[in-house]
Amino acid sequence: MKQTGLLLLILSLTVQLVQAQPTLTLANRKLSPVLQNNSKLLANKQEQVFWIVASNIDSAKNYFRANNLPVTILQERSGGLLVVRAKGTTLDAQVLSQPFIRFVDVPRQPHEELALSPFDNSLNTINLAHSKYPQLNGSTMVVSVNENKPDTTDIDFRGRYISTPLSSPLISSHATYMSTIIAGGENSFYTSVGVAPAASIISSNFASLLPDADADYRQYNVSVQNHSYGTGIENYYGADAAAYDASTINNPGLLHVFSSGNSGNQTSTGPYAGISNMANITGSFKMAKNIITVGATDSFGNVSFLSSRGPAYDGRVKPELVAFGEDGSSGASAHTSGAVLLMQQYYKEKHNGSLPPASLVKALLVNSAEDKGTKGPDYLWGFGCLNTYEALQELANEQYYSGSLTQGAQQTFSLTVPANTRQLKLTLCWTDPAAAANAPKALINDLDLELVNNGNAQVWQPWVLSPAPVIDSLLLPAVRKKDTLNNVEQITIDYPVAGSYTIRVKGYSIPSGSQAFFTAWQATAADQFQWQLPASVDYVTAGENNLLRWSSTFNTTTGLLEYSIDKGASWQTINNAATLATGTAYWRAPDTCTTALLRMTINGQVFKSDTFTISPIIPVRVGFNCPDSVMISWDRVPGIKKYAVYQLTDKYLQLIAPAADTSFIVSQPGGRLWYTVAPVISNGRYGMKAYTINVTTQGVDCYLKNFLVDLVNNNTASLTAEIGTTYNVKSFTFEKLMPGGYQLLQTFQPGNLAFEYTDNNLADGVNTYRVKIELTNGKAIYSDPQSVYYFLTTRYIVFPNPVHSSGPLMVLMKEESANTYLLLFNSMGQQVLQYQLTQTVESVALPNLQSGIYFMQIKKNGKKEFIGKVMVVR
């Protein structure tokens, strides 16, 4: 009886609990979480934009038309998506209940997710890829930066930005940073080199949150679109997520790359509501399956505190990758987009111009990523840290298989694992059909990956994470089991037995048609060491601490780290017990300009770096900027006898001439305004280029850098001037304007760049000066005039005279007064102007007076204090 009573009590409480739960009507279940949580949007009687997903677009359009509904269709998208303008009340009362309406959402306001300020292309082996694959620069590729518009005048995009109607009218520095990371041309400084420095760039407005039209991607040959923005934490598969999955299906070579977000310390919503520091990816569009979502790390490969974490709303692994983005996941996404461009370029060159399928590129990027943190995939690191060089290596070595499956079918591939393999890694990836908006589970086609050891029949399944909405479960390490959520599956085996293996891919659930897939593989050998920084394309800054970076598969803990600046004839110790596992060390490079080598000695094995350059950063200045010639100069670098001068041309810096001295004159520069210099170390080997300068913005005109005249102690004029160079200067003279013209004050012989003079003989009123520079060829260069105003007997100075009828007429007063007026009279004695003078310097606008002589009075407290004449001209 007691047990029966207890059961009845539990049943009663359960019923009450169920009854207490809020229930959604059929119509409400069609609403996105954004609309469910903001009922005001549907109660709003003002028109706004909605996304409507219909099972049949024609049915929806016919219904709107037949009932004369005030619904304006703005766009039609694949997957039954309609972008409409309507009142929320109209949708709520007359649309939601219709059986062909599946889902309704609203666009949200996107925001940029911080920019990358530090530069480091070594963490993700981008510079190593540049060094080993110098032909890969993105030259045949086009990237779309989906946000606001970058600064199209930035010299690092010179000649490679393509203007299209897709771009936003707003220009932002964030878009400029992202474009530089992806495709900067290294024109301003070496830190502005992008991952794909020859790629073309277009900009696409992110205001709609939906992908561009398929025709737009094809028209502009876009193969990568970078999305470094977010909205808020949105844990559902929205119409936008379905649209991006469909975009990849419709454009098989197009890969969308998203930042994960900068909300890693925030509490989740949706299925993971209330869980802190997890499931906080910023935007439902990032829940798409066929994209890559990228989290951020610092320059040591540690995931940033604010980097948004997974899982996706249905438990899938998100982010897929992490990459360097110390100030936000924006930069991480941009680095990854650049890496994709390099891979696509390589594939195109080997396959007659065809792009690789997006699922192949994704499989290779995931498979080559460096696993960090918890072993196997996790919701913080995804599948690991982007490794651009290894991804290219797998592509170049064709370390992948392709296939296609129907329901219940299976394909197998043979793989031989060599001896001394430290780890074997396999990754299966496929482009999955778009799911229905708001689907509880996004995966449509379910493939299964298995690996079989042919010697003993042992079978390995992929790593799978627990998606249970409990923090302890989400932090559990992955286990080997069947994966029913992800369209990316991965198997790793540490120290596999050498021999023959079989890769099996099964079509477990493919409701219709067939599903294409790719499987990438990697066998990492034990006892391997590789230098990552510096590579041959890198510069080490002379006299400063520089980061060194390497990868190692040795079990040994330390190695001997040394450097040489004499081509290996002798070696100097940096650290006799460098910790190999950290993969990094700091080295204070010698204060010199030369080539150098590094080497690491481990258990008697020696690993030398590529030859790299140690170089100081030299400042470049403008000596003169004259119409017919420009002179640039720089500091001498000890031990360097020759310098290379570069000029910015249509796209890139181009070597124009060698220079034996520390200055160079460019004759007839025309519109070429940008220049830089690098020390020449040896034939074909150059030091670090200086910051590129625009000769018109350095404050130096034709020899004269500045000329200032100041009034000192209310009775003395102090004249100071500076020239950019003494080259070809015969003399320098200060002159003063007198009634008969300019007269010499003092002449200096060249020797210094700065000059001073004091004039103790000021005239009452305006005192005007200029500089005269006489060159050795007899040519004279004059500065613009500069003036000081001296109040000796007068209390007022009025100028210019003559004055243009549009003004202004300047009036200087010795002291401020609250009751002082300027009056102007024409020749007929009629007053044409009255202006109250309240400050010591007044700019008086003229009422577009006729040409002629006007009589002027200045009255203070009604008493006449100053009279004069003013000539007005038109």
Side-chain angles (χ1 to χ4, degrees):
M1 290 294 293
K2 290 183 179 180
Q3 291 180 342
T4 303
L6 181 59
L7 288 174
L8 289 174
L9 176 61
I10 293 173
L11 179 60
S12 174
L13 290 173
T14 302
V15 170
Q16 293 177 39
L17 182 61
V18 170
Q19 290 175 342
Q21 298 302 310
T23 58
L24 293 176
T25 65
L26 176 63
N28 285 342
R29 285 200 294 272
K30 298 178 180 179
L31 298 177
S32 72
V34 174
L35 285 173
Q36 291 178 22
N37 296 325
N38 193 347
S39 58
K40 293 180 180 178
L41 293 174
L42 285 180
N44 193 345
K45 296 182 179 181
Q46 299 295 320
E47 286 193 338
Q48 59 183 315
V49 175
F50 290 91
W51 296 340
I52 297 176
V53 179
S55 58
N56 186 296
I57 283 182
D58 289 336
S59 295
K61 291 165 65 176
N62 291 336
Y63 174 74
F64 298 155
R65 190 182 306 113
N67 291 275
N68 198 27
L69 295 185
V71 177
T72 303
I73 298 176
L74 304 176
Q75 296 179 40
E76 293 184 31
R77 296 296 190 104
S78 59
L81 173 59
L82 292 173
V83 180
V84 306
R85 181 176 295 280
K87 296 177 181 178
T89 52
T90 300
L91 296 187
D92 191 26
Q94 297 177 270
V95 175
L96 277 173
S97 60
Q98 299 306 308
F100 47 78
I101 300 299
R102 288 183 171 178
F103 182 72
V104 178
D105 202 350
V106 286
R108 282 83 64 210
Q109 181 65 41
H111 55 81
E112 299 156 333
E113 293 184 316
L114 298 182
L116 178 72
S117 54
F119 165 87
D120 191 340
N121 271 350
S122 67
L123 173 68
N124 303 123
T125 64
I126 292 164
N127 280 4
L128 183 61
H130 288 168
S131 175
K132 302 299 184 182
Y133 293 92
Q135 80 281 10
L136 296 182
N137 55 15
S139 60
T140 60
M141 312 306 299
V142 180
V143 62
S144 171
V145 179
N146 187 229
E147 51 179 280
N148 286 319
K149 190 175 184 179
D151 178 4
T152 59
T153 66
D154 192 308
I155 62 173
D156 287 308
F157 316 140
R158 174 70 68 91
R160 294 182 295 113
Y161 180 82
I162 302 171
S163 181
T164 76
L166 302 175
S167 63
S168 166
L170 302 176
I171 295 175
S172 78
S173 58
H174 184 277
T176 305
Y177 296 152
M178 296 305 104
S179 299
T180 302
I181 293 169
I182 298 168
E186 200 179 353
N187 290 329
S188 57
F189 193 50
Y190 87 95
T191 57
S192 68
V193 61
V195 185
S200 296
I201 305 164
I202 73 166
S203 174
S204 182
N205 194 341
F206 64 170
S208 80
L209 291 180
L210 294 172
D212 296 320
D214 296 335
D216 291 329
Y217 292 123
R218 294 164 190 159
Q219 177 181 353
Y220 300 112
N221 298 312
V222 173
S223 59
V224 179
Q225 190 165 50
N226 185 76
H227 307 262
S228 293
Y229 56 87
T231 49
I233 299 172
E234 296 175 345
N235 276 316
Y236 64 97
Y237 186 86
D240 42 10
Y244 277 105
D245 279 338
S247 177
T248 304
I249 293 167
N250 298 338
N251 306 276
L254 172 65
L255 190 54
H256 293 281
V257 183
F258 283 87
S259 58
S260 69
N262 299 327
S263 300
N265 62 334
Q266 294 188 21
T267 301
S268 185
T269 62
Y272 295 95
I275 299 179
S276 301
N277 307 321
M278 298 292 288
N280 44 32
I281 289 172
T282 55
S284 66
F285 39 89
K286 301 179 185 184
M287 298 294 144
K289 300 166 289 186
N290 301 327
I291 65 171
I292 294 180
T293 308
V294 189
T297 74
D298 60 21
S299 60
F300 293 97
N302 301 309
V303 173
S304 303
F305 176 66
L306 294 180
S307 181
S308 290
R309 296 93 192 271
Y313 81 102
D314 57 357
R316 280 177 290 125
V317 177
K318 288 280 181 178
E320 287 88 356
L321 296 173
V322 294
F324 178 57
E326 192 155 11
D327 287 344
S329 58
S330 286
S333 173
H335 277 111
T336 306
S337 291
V340 173
L341 286 169
L342 297 186
M343 296 176 70
Q344 290 174 333
Q345 181 188 358
Y346 184 93
Y347 188 94
K348 278 181 67 177
E349 292 176 356
K350 300 296 183 182
H351 294 82
N352 299 316
S354 298
L355 282 171
S359 53
L360 170 59
V361 175
K362 186 174 178 180
L364 292 167
L365 286 171
V366 167
N367 197 67
S368 61
E370 183 181 357
D371 186 19
K372 291 191 172 186
T374 306
K375 186 176 181 61
D378 58 61
Y379 295 128
L380 179 63
W381 300 84
F383 290 94
C385 192
L386 171 69
N387 191 323
T388 306
Y389 173 68
E390 287 298 332
L392 282 168
Q393 283 284 85
E394 289 187 24
L395 177 61
N397 296 333
E398 297 186 355
Q399 293 171 218
Y400 58 88
Y401 302 102
S402 62
S404 182
L405 292 170
T406 56
Q407 173 65 35
Q410 173 178 292
Q411 279 190 267
T412 60
F413 309 94
S414 297
L415 181 65
T416 300
V417 176
N420 200 38
T421 296
R422 180 174 182 173
Q423 186 184 68
L424 176 65
K425 185 191 293 186
L426 310 172
T427 300
L428 169 68
C429 182
W430 66 94
T431 297
D432 199 49
N438 220 20
K441 176 180 171 182
L443 192 69
I444 301 296
N445 290 339
D446 187 359
L447 308 187
D448 288 334
L449 175 67
E450 291 181 345
L451 179 67
V452 182
N453 183 339
N454 295 333
N456 58 15
Q458 185 176 0
V459 178
W460 290 269
Q461 289 183 308
W463 293 112
V464 176
L465 292 167
S466 169
V470 180
I471 186 64
D472 292 343
S473 285
L474 296 177
L475 296 176
L476 287 174
V479 296
R480 299 186 192 275
K481 59 185 289 188
K482 173 180 167 56
D483 190 334
T484 61
L485 289 177
N486 296 279
N487 63 329
V488 179
E489 299 183 4
Q490 188 172 91
I491 294 172
T492 61
I493 308 173
D494 291 337
Y495 301 102
V497 176
S500 172
Y501 290 74
T502 296
I503 300 170
R504 292 198 301 224
V505 183
K506 301 177 181 179
Y508 173 76
S509 176
I510 303 175
S512 63
S514 61
Q515 177 63 63
F517 65 87
F518 287 92
T519 302
W521 63 271
Q522 178 190 69
T524 305
D527 297 339
Q528 296 295 304
F529 181 93
Q530 184 179 62
W531 286 103
Q532 295 180 349
L533 179 69
S536 62
V537 297
D538 286 313
Y539 298 102
V540 165
T541 306
E544 295 185 7
N545 274 333
N546 293 267
L547 179 67
L548 309 179
R549 197 187 299 280
W550 62 81
S551 63
S552 171
T553 62
F554 278 88
N555 288 326
T556 305
T557 57
T558 63
L560 172 62
L561 176 59
E562 301 168 289
Y563 76 93
S564 172
I565 56 174
D566 56 9
K567 301 181 180 179
S570 62
W571 294 87
Q572 305 295 320
T573 299
I574 299 173
N575 188 340
N576 59 11
T579 304
L580 296 178
T582 62
T584 60
Y586 277 99
W587 168 47
R588 188 170 187 83
D591 193 4
T592 185
C593 189
T594 186
T595 56
L597 291 165
L598 292 168
R599 75 178 182 186
M600 185 75 80
T601 304
I602 308 169
N603 296 338
Q605 296 186 59
V606 176
F607 301 92
K608 290 183 182 179
S609 71
D610 292 335
T611 300
F612 59 92
T613 304
I614 302 174
S615 177
I617 302 174
I618 56 176
V620 175
R621 299 174 290 273
V622 174
F624 57 78
N625 178 24
C626 300
D628 61 345
S629 58
V630 170
M631 177 187 180
I632 57 175
S633 62
W634 53 91
D635 293 343
R636 186 176 299 279
V637 178
I640 298 299
K641 298 180 180 179
K642 190 189 299 184
Y643 302 85
V645 180
Y646 297 83
Q647 181 184 67
L648 182 60
T649 57
D650 294 339
K651 289 186 178 180
Y652 302 104
L653 291 169
Q654 181 177 341
L655 179 64
I656 57 173
D661 203 352
T662 56
S663 63
F664 184 80
I665 297 175
V666 182
S667 299
Q668 304 299 330
R672 304 295 191 190
L673 305 178
W674 297 86
Y675 296 88
T676 189
V677 175
V680 179
I681 297 173
S682 60
N683 289 335
R685 196 86 194 192
Y686 302 92
M688 191 185 305
K689 296 184 187 74
Y691 289 97
T692 304
I693 61 169
N694 182 329
V695 296
T696 65
T697 62
Q698 304 307 303
V700 180
D701 291 324
C702 198
Y703 278 90
L704 188 64
K705 190 171 184 179
N706 59 65
F707 172 42
L708 301 173
V709 181
D710 296 310
L711 184 66
V712 180
N713 298 325
N714 292 322
N715 61 6
T716 303
S718 173
L719 284 66
T720 59
E722 185 179 359
I723 58 177
T725 180
T726 60
Y727 179 80
N728 279 345
V729 175
K730 180 180 179 182
S731 63
F732 178 95
T733 302
F734 285 118
E735 297 182 336
K736 184 175 183 179
L737 182 62
M738 299 297 190
Y742 279 97
Q743 294 184 7
L744 180 150
L745 292 177
Q746 185 171 348
T747 297
F748 302 85
Q749 299 303 313
N752 296 320
L753 298 177
F755 307 92
E756 297 181 357
Y757 180 80
T758 301
D759 182 10
N760 297 310
N761 299 309
L762 299 184
D764 197 15
V766 182
N767 294 260
T768 301
Y769 306 86
R770 75 179 182 186
V771 162
K772 175 184 177 182
I773 302 171
E774 187 176 1
L775 304 181
T776 55
N777 61 5
K779 181 180 178 180
I781 299 169
Y782 295 96
S783 71
D784 292 332
Q786 301 289 331
S787 300
V788 294
Y789 308 98
Y790 178 48
F791 296 91
L792 179 60
T793 61
T794 184
R795 299 174 62 85
Y796 304 95
I797 299 173
V798 181
F799 66 96
N801 196 0
V803 62
H804 195 273
S805 60
S806 61
L809 183 68
M810 302 299 299
V811 180
L812 277 64
M813 299 191 295
K814 189 172 184 178
E815 58 188 23
E816 292 182 2
S817 175
N819 195 24
T820 303
Y821 292 87
L822 168 71
L823 307 174
L824 284 185
F825 303 88
N826 63 19
S827 58
M828 302 293 292
Q830 297 168 321
Q831 181 177 310
V832 296
L833 175 70
Q834 177 175 307
Y835 186 93
Q836 186 176 11
L837 305 173
T838 60
Q839 303 191 36
T840 55
V841 179
E842 291 278 5
S843 175
V844 181
L846 300 179
N848 203 24
L849 301 175
Q850 297 293 320
S851 299
I853 301 294
Y854 291 81
F855 298 94
M856 174 178 55
Q857 294 180 6
I858 297 180
K859 289 184 177 181
K860 180 179 180 181
N861 297 324
K863 296 177 61 177
K864 192 184 300 179
E865 288 207 336
F866 183 86
I867 60 173
K869 297 179 181 179
V870 176
M871 177 179 287
V872 176
V873 297
R874 281 184 173 270

